[in-house]
Amino acid sequence: MKGKGIKVLIAILVVLIIVAIALIVMKITNTNINKNNEISSNGIISLGTDIGKESEPENKIEIYNGVDRPIAVMIDNHKAAWPQASLNEAYIVYEIIVEGGETRLMPVYKGKDLEKIGPVRSSRHYFIDYALENDAIYVHFGWSPQAQSDISTYKVNNINGITESETNFWRVKDKKSPHNVVTTTQKILNMANSKGYRTTSNAKSVLNYKNTEVELEEGQVANEVTIPYSTLHTVSYKYNEETKRYERYQRGTKQTDWDTNEVVSTKNIIITFAENYTLTDVENKGRQGLRNIGNKKGYYITNGKAIEIVCSKNSRTDKTEYKDLLGNEIDVNDGNTFIQICPIDADVVIQ
């Protein structure tokens, strides 16, 4: 009997030890939970920051985020159209030559609520390529014959202001026709919805943005950039070391916003050299064509430095790829970009 009593006593002790260990583990667990949870005055437990909450993505890009579909708008760049409205609000602005040695601009907006965009002008067919690669709704006021044909051929989600009501596109009095048509992003979205166009997009950005500062350590100094498009029109940029942005000039005049008087400036500049030529369309107005498919030489400029790059576009609908001379996709600073697609023989000066 003595042997049996000892065995029972040992069994009881083992059970007590297991229970004690279990209680200690439960106490430690509850202490850790309470560190991450807060109990409100009404007894409801709210989860702490480390439990049940998704953390913000570490590499969120400010200039290009969200699911709003981009909106690309043809903007008049005739001197009589200056100054323009809302260029600084675009994540990308394309500038390409048109007839008469002039250029036109195409700002592309994403997730913006803008009460004035303009002056809006007519489409040129090669701008369509860049609206398509940004998955953008394409907005214009009239079109050239080739642009009209290409919009139909490529089934572009476009809005032609010349066929819309004056409540959606209207002429203002402080500029003269045809340089005075304006609209808003909300009007554009209303028209897009009425046409059944998709207004959301998950398309990847054309540029490889980085949320850490990109410094072109091996690049050449680029405090001033001069881009002659023609004998009539020259664009230049001057680097502001305090803001780390480039301020934009046209024909020697500093650009400002139509309403805010804010200086037009950019974080990034991309230059692409592409051959333009004169079309023989039915209207015989000297309109231009653009050979932009294939590999084109160029520059990427940011933070006071410039590097040579290769700009590659495989088709009119494909995204342009911007690579360094070693074949690596370039990193681009998280900020707005002016893409200067200039004549192949333009005497660009970077200094």
Side-chain angles (χ1 to χ4, degrees), residues 39-45:
I39 302 178
S40 65
S41 59
N42 61 6
I44 297 174
I45 297 176

Side-chain angles (χ1 to χ4, degrees), residues 9-35:
L9 183 59
I10 292 171
I12 291 171
L13 287 172
V14 170
V15 169
L16 289 174
I17 291 169
I18 293 171
V19 170
I21 292 171
L23 289 172
I24 291 169
V25 170
M26 288 177 62
K27 186 175 181 179
I28 292 171
T29 302
N30 287 334
T31 300
N32 288 336
I33 290 174
N34 288 333
K35 285 181 180 178

Side-chain angles (χ1 to χ4, degrees), residues 140-143 158-166 169 195:
H140 52 100
F141 196 85
W143 44 26
N158 78 296
I159 296 172
N160 184 1
I162 209 165
T163 65
E164 302 291 335
S165 73
E166 292 183 2
F169 291 84
K195 296 176 187 297

